[in-house]
Amino acid sequence: MDVRVRALETLLVDKGYVDAAALDVLIDTYEHRVGPHNGARVVARAWVDAAYRAWLLEDATAAIGSDETFGFRGRQGEHMVALENTPQVHNMVVCTLCSCYPWPVLGLPPVWYKSAPYRSRVVIDPRGVLADFGMTLPPSTEIRVWDSTAEIRYLVLPMRPSGTEGWSEAQLARLVTRDSMIGTGIALDPSGVSAGAGAAR
Ligand code: FE
Protein backbone atom coordinates (compact mmCIF):
# COMPACT_ATOMS: atom_id res chain seq x y z
CA MET A 1 0.00 0.00 0.00
CA ASP A 2 2.84 2.40 0.88
CA VAL A 3 4.47 1.84 -2.51
CA ARG A 4 1.19 2.30 -4.34
CA VAL A 5 0.49 5.56 -2.50
CA ARG A 6 3.98 6.84 -3.23
CA ALA A 7 3.68 5.93 -6.91
CA LEU A 8 0.31 7.64 -7.16
CA GLU A 9 1.51 10.75 -5.33
CA THR A 10 4.63 10.98 -7.53
CA LEU A 11 2.53 10.78 -10.67
CA LEU A 12 0.03 13.39 -9.47
CA VAL A 13 2.79 15.77 -8.38
CA ASP A 14 4.73 15.28 -11.64
CA LYS A 15 1.64 16.10 -13.64
CA GLY A 16 0.97 19.14 -11.51
CA TYR A 17 -2.41 17.93 -10.25
CA VAL A 18 -1.53 18.13 -6.56
CA ASP A 19 0.90 20.13 -4.45
CA ALA A 20 3.14 17.99 -2.21
CA ALA A 21 3.21 20.66 0.51
CA ALA A 22 -0.59 20.81 0.54
CA LEU A 23 -0.74 17.04 0.93
CA ASP A 24 1.64 17.25 3.90
CA VAL A 25 -0.66 19.79 5.56
CA LEU A 26 -3.66 17.51 5.06
CA ILE A 27 -1.83 14.49 6.43
CA ASP A 28 -0.55 16.45 9.43
CA THR A 29 -4.06 17.75 10.10
CA TYR A 30 -5.62 14.30 10.28
CA GLU A 31 -2.67 12.72 12.06
CA HIS A 32 -2.21 15.33 14.77
CA ARG A 33 -4.82 18.08 14.96
CA VAL A 34 -8.11 16.33 14.17
CA GLY A 35 -9.05 13.00 15.70
CA PRO A 36 -11.01 11.23 18.42
CA HIS A 37 -9.24 13.30 21.10
CA ASN A 38 -11.49 16.16 19.93
CA GLY A 39 -14.69 14.19 20.41
CA ALA A 40 -13.42 12.94 23.77
CA ARG A 41 -13.23 16.52 25.03
CA VAL A 42 -16.82 17.16 23.94
CA VAL A 43 -18.05 14.03 25.75
CA ALA A 44 -16.10 14.82 28.92
CA ARG A 45 -17.57 18.34 28.98
CA ALA A 46 -21.07 16.91 28.62
CA TRP A 47 -20.39 14.56 31.52
CA VAL A 48 -19.44 17.34 33.95
CA ASP A 49 -21.59 20.23 32.74
CA ALA A 50 -25.35 19.63 32.62
CA ALA A 51 -26.05 22.85 30.72
CA TYR A 52 -23.48 21.92 28.08
CA ARG A 53 -24.95 18.43 27.83
CA ALA A 54 -28.42 19.88 27.22
CA TRP A 55 -27.02 22.21 24.54
CA LEU A 56 -25.15 19.34 22.88
CA LEU A 57 -28.31 17.25 22.68
CA GLU A 58 -30.34 20.23 21.46
CA ASP A 59 -27.89 21.61 18.86
CA ALA A 60 -24.71 19.58 18.57
CA THR A 61 -23.39 21.58 15.62
CA ALA A 62 -23.33 24.77 17.69
CA ALA A 63 -22.25 23.14 20.95
CA ILE A 64 -19.26 21.51 19.25
CA GLY A 65 -18.37 24.12 16.67
CA SER A 66 -18.92 27.40 18.48
CA ASP A 67 -15.85 29.52 19.15
CA GLU A 68 -17.08 29.83 22.73
CA THR A 69 -16.69 26.07 23.20
CA PHE A 70 -14.38 23.94 21.07
CA GLY A 71 -14.57 25.39 17.57
CA PHE A 72 -14.52 21.87 16.10
CA ARG A 73 -16.16 22.41 12.75
CA GLY A 74 -15.53 22.02 9.06
CA ARG A 75 -16.08 19.40 6.42
CA GLN A 76 -18.31 16.51 7.48
CA GLY A 77 -19.23 18.35 10.65
CA GLU A 78 -21.68 20.90 9.32
CA HIS A 79 -24.78 19.13 10.65
CA MET A 80 -23.99 17.29 13.86
CA VAL A 81 -26.43 15.30 15.99
CA ALA A 82 -25.47 13.92 19.42
CA LEU A 83 -27.05 10.63 20.54
CA GLU A 84 -27.20 9.99 24.26
CA ASN A 85 -26.64 6.46 25.52
CA THR A 86 -28.62 5.43 28.60
CA PRO A 87 -29.18 2.13 30.38
CA GLN A 88 -32.34 1.84 28.26
CA VAL A 89 -30.99 2.83 24.84
CA HIS A 90 -27.65 2.19 23.15
CA ASN A 91 -26.93 4.07 19.92
CA MET A 92 -24.72 2.90 17.05
CA VAL A 93 -23.70 4.83 13.95
CA VAL A 94 -23.12 3.66 10.41
CA CYS A 95 -23.14 4.95 6.87
CA THR A 96 -24.78 2.11 4.97
CA LEU A 97 -24.15 3.84 1.65
CA CYS A 98 -20.46 4.67 2.00
CA SER A 99 -18.35 6.05 4.85
CA CYS A 100 -19.86 9.33 6.11
CA TYR A 101 -18.26 10.17 9.45
CA PRO A 102 -17.94 13.24 11.71
CA TRP A 103 -14.40 14.27 10.78
CA PRO A 104 -14.01 17.35 13.04
CA VAL A 105 -14.63 15.29 16.20
CA LEU A 106 -13.44 11.80 15.22
CA GLY A 107 -10.92 12.33 12.41
CA LEU A 108 -10.91 9.89 9.52
CA PRO A 109 -12.97 6.69 9.77
CA PRO A 110 -11.34 3.38 10.64
CA VAL A 111 -11.13 0.77 7.87
CA TRP A 112 -13.85 -1.42 9.38
CA TYR A 113 -16.31 1.50 9.40
CA LYS A 114 -15.98 1.67 5.60
CA SER A 115 -16.19 -2.08 5.09
CA ALA A 116 -19.25 -3.68 3.51
CA PRO A 117 -19.59 -6.28 6.30
CA TYR A 118 -19.94 -3.61 9.02
CA ARG A 119 -22.22 -1.41 6.96
CA SER A 120 -24.62 -4.20 6.09
CA ARG A 121 -24.51 -6.27 9.24
CA VAL A 122 -24.87 -3.51 11.83
CA VAL A 123 -28.39 -2.77 10.62
CA ILE A 124 -29.36 -6.46 10.47
CA ASP A 125 -27.64 -7.80 13.56
CA PRO A 126 -26.34 -4.98 15.78
CA ARG A 127 -25.96 -7.29 18.78
CA GLY A 128 -23.83 -9.64 16.71
CA VAL A 129 -21.62 -6.73 15.65
CA LEU A 130 -21.29 -5.62 19.27
CA ALA A 131 -20.26 -9.15 20.19
CA ASP A 132 -17.54 -8.97 17.53
CA PHE A 133 -16.31 -5.85 19.34
CA GLY A 134 -16.36 -7.77 22.62
CA MET A 135 -19.48 -6.10 23.97
CA THR A 136 -22.65 -7.60 25.39
CA LEU A 137 -25.59 -5.44 26.39
CA PRO A 138 -28.50 -6.57 28.55
CA PRO A 139 -31.39 -7.86 26.39
CA SER A 140 -33.53 -5.11 27.92
CA THR A 141 -31.33 -2.41 26.37
CA GLU A 142 -32.77 -1.21 23.07
CA ILE A 143 -30.24 -0.71 20.29
CA ARG A 144 -30.81 2.09 17.83
CA VAL A 145 -28.74 2.17 14.65
CA TRP A 146 -28.42 5.54 12.96
CA ASP A 147 -27.65 5.72 9.26
CA SER A 148 -25.71 8.83 8.31
CA THR A 149 -27.23 10.83 5.48
CA ALA A 150 -25.57 13.03 2.90
CA GLU A 151 -25.52 15.83 5.50
CA ILE A 152 -26.04 14.56 9.03
CA ARG A 153 -23.15 13.21 11.09
CA TYR A 154 -23.72 11.55 14.45
CA LEU A 155 -21.69 11.54 17.65
CA VAL A 156 -22.60 9.03 20.33
CA LEU A 157 -22.49 10.36 23.88
CA PRO A 158 -21.46 7.29 25.87
CA MET A 159 -22.48 6.80 29.49
CA ARG A 160 -20.11 8.16 32.09
CA PRO A 161 -18.45 5.24 33.88
CA SER A 162 -19.18 4.87 37.58
CA GLY A 163 -16.25 5.37 39.88
CA THR A 164 -15.29 8.67 38.24
CA GLU A 165 -16.88 11.02 40.75
CA GLY A 166 -14.74 14.11 41.17
CA TRP A 167 -12.66 13.47 38.05
CA SER A 168 -11.75 16.54 36.01
CA GLU A 169 -12.79 17.01 32.41
CA ALA A 170 -9.26 16.24 31.22
CA GLN A 171 -9.12 13.06 33.27
CA LEU A 172 -12.53 11.94 32.01
CA ALA A 173 -11.60 12.61 28.38
CA ARG A 174 -8.98 9.85 28.63
CA LEU A 175 -11.76 7.30 29.17
CA VAL A 176 -13.56 8.23 25.95
CA THR A 177 -12.54 5.98 23.08
CA ARG A 178 -13.22 6.44 19.40
CA ASP A 179 -15.40 3.34 19.35
CA SER A 180 -17.46 4.58 22.30
CA MET A 181 -18.38 7.62 20.19
CA ILE A 182 -19.43 5.40 17.24
CA GLY A 183 -21.35 3.06 19.51
CA THR A 184 -19.24 -0.04 18.92
CA GLY A 185 -17.75 0.37 22.38
CA ILE A 186 -18.28 1.99 25.74
CA ALA A 187 -16.10 4.34 27.76
CA LEU A 188 -13.10 2.75 29.45
CA ASP A 189 -13.32 1.30 32.94
CA PRO A 190 -11.68 3.89 35.22
CA SER A 191 -10.03 1.20 37.31
CA GLY A 192 -7.77 0.42 34.36
CA VAL A 193 -6.77 4.07 33.86
CA SER A 194 -4.95 6.10 36.46
CA ALA A 195 -6.74 9.35 37.25
CA GLY A 196 -3.59 11.18 38.20
CA ALA A 197 -1.14 10.92 35.34
CA GLY A 198 -1.55 13.08 32.30
CA ALA A 199 -4.46 14.99 33.74
CA ALA A 200 -3.11 18.35 32.73
CA ARG A 201 -3.86 19.42 29.20
FE1 FE B 1 -21.28 7.89 3.50
Side-chain angles (χ1 to χ4, degrees):
M1 184 57 79
D2 277 359
V3 175
R4 275 194 200 184
V5 169
R6 267 173 220 289
L8 188 62
E9 183 179 344
T10 304
L11 263 174
L12 292 171
V13 169
D14 282 353
K15 289 179 179 290
Y17 293 141
V18 300
D19 173 8
L23 283 181
D24 288 344
V25 170
L26 280 173
I27 291 167
D28 179 66
T29 298
Y30 287 103
E31 273 190 351
H32 301 112
R33 288 203 304 114
V34 177
H37 55 282
N38 288 359
R41 291 179 60 198
V42 172
V43 169
R45 174 80 49 93
W47 282 348
V48 299
D49 181 339
Y52 181 75
R53 179 194 198 90
W55 186 21
L56 182 68
L57 294 172
E58 171 73 26
D59 183 353
T61 312
I64 294 168
S66 164
D67 283 330
E68 292 152 38
T69 57
F70 298 104
F72 300 147
R73 53 180 184 257
R75 291 186 63 202
Q76 303 251 354
E78 296 94 339
H79 305 281
M80 291 294 305
V81 172
L83 307 166
E84 182 182 36
N85 281 351
T86 67
Q88 290 76 39
V89 177
H90 179 85
N91 296 285
M92 299 178 76
V93 178
V94 64
C95 176
T96 54
L97 196 62
C98 44
S99 57
C100 299
Y101 196 69
W103 293 1
V105 280
L106 294 187
L108 300 178
V111 171
W112 57 259
Y113 184 86
K114 299 183 273 188
S115 73
Y118 175 75
R119 285 159 37 209
S120 55
R121 193 160 159 243
V122 74
V123 292
I124 300 167
D125 178 21
R127 280 181 202 275
V129 170
L130 283 180
D132 288 348
F133 279 90
M135 257 184 79
T136 311
L137 292 174
S140 56
T141 301
E142 178 193 341
I143 300 179
R144 291 186 191 157
V145 181
W146 299 76
D147 194 2
S148 311
T149 69
E151 285 89 26
I152 296 177
R153 301 292 180 270
Y154 298 101
L155 178 73
V156 174
L157 176 56
M159 287 192 286
R160 177 174 175 165
S162 54
T164 57
E165 293 71 23
W167 283 37
S168 71
E169 238 180 274
Q171 289 167 331
L172 288 167
R174 294 165 55 234
L175 301 177
V176 184
T177 62
R178 175 195 68 198
D179 290 4
S180 74
M181 295 181 280
I182 302 173
T184 52
I186 56 175
L188 296 177
D189 181 343
S191 65
V193 178
S194 128
R201 284 183 97 116

